[in-house]
Amino acid sequence: MSVETEATNEGAGMEALEALKQDEAAAPAEPKLDKYGRAYATGKRKNAIARVWIKPGNGKIVVNGREDSVYFARPVLRMMINQPFGVTDRKDQFDVYATVTGGGLSGQAGAVRHGISKALTYFEPGLRPVLKKGGFLTRDPRVVERKKYGKAKARRSFQFSKR
């Protein structure tokens, strides 16, 4: 293949790539909803996994069959769950139904928040940049370090005694 032909092929490839980018920007993303009009997402944090469904409503949040004020008794955890709605100005516009397993309450609240954020992007794809900028769509990778043999915990050594 000659140098001219390679340059022409490269130019055509770049034009096609630019055209593809313009098509993606022009076409709005479609909402991902089930037959009941709900958006579903899975949120994770530490060892907790939350399955979250959101649908238009009046702001009711149910976690494992209980109200959020009962399940997450600490106000900090309830505030954490409502953060995605506050950032997107969608307070009291969606009902949330979530089932959470694993981890502790703090990890579960983080998992529900992650799931709500992802479900909001599925329901309204235009909200993605706002949630992404706030860091709500990023799965926090920090998990508990495993215990090593010869140690009391992950890093803690047994108490040393000379005698």
Side-chain angles (χ1 to χ4, degrees):
M1 209 184 273
S2 69
V3 175
E4 290 176 11
T5 312
E6 285 181 19
T8 308
N9 287 345
E10 220 173 272
M14 292 302 285
E15 290 171 7
L17 185 63
E18 292 298 322
L20 185 62
K21 284 182 182 176
Q22 289 174 354
D23 288 345
E24 286 179 3
E30 286 289 316
K32 294 180 186 176
L33 305 176
D34 63 6
K35 63 182 180 181
Y36 303 109
R38 303 174 302 185
Y40 167 79
T42 305
K44 296 182 181 182
R45 170 86 167 89
K46 293 186 177 180
N47 281 337
I49 300 171
R51 299 185 310 157
V52 179
W53 290 266
I54 66 166
K55 64 179 183 177
N58 54 8
K60 185 177 170 193
I61 299 176
V62 177
V63 180
N64 288 352
R66 292 188 277 179
E67 289 287 324
D68 63 332
S69 57
V70 175
Y71 195 83
F72 295 113
R74 283 184 276 169
V76 174
L77 299 179
R78 287 196 302 273
M79 178 207 68
M80 204 167 132
I81 289 173
N82 286 309
Q83 280 178 332
F85 296 122
V87 170
T88 56
D89 295 327
R90 299 291 188 274
K91 200 95 169 131
D92 299 331
Q93 292 184 19
F94 289 98
D95 286 345
V96 177
Y97 180 78
T99 57
V100 197
T101 57
L105 281 179
S106 178
Q108 288 185 351
V112 171
R113 180 177 82 168
H114 187 225
I116 288 173
S117 303
K118 282 172 64 175
L120 275 172
T121 61
Y122 295 150
F123 201 90
E124 292 183 52
L127 298 177
R128 185 171 174 81
V130 178
L131 290 167
K132 186 76 173 164
K133 187 172 183 251
F136 296 112
L137 298 177
T138 306
R139 196 260 197 238
D140 191 347
R142 296 176 295 174
V143 291
V144 177
E145 189 175 348
R146 77 172 188 88
K147 183 194 177 303
K148 279 76 170 187
Y149 59 88
K151 297 280 188 179
K153 292 165 59 172
R155 298 185 180 203
R156 164 117 170 69
S157 297
F158 296 108
Q159 183 173 344
F160 176 74
S161 172
K162 197 164 187 177
R163 292 191 182 88

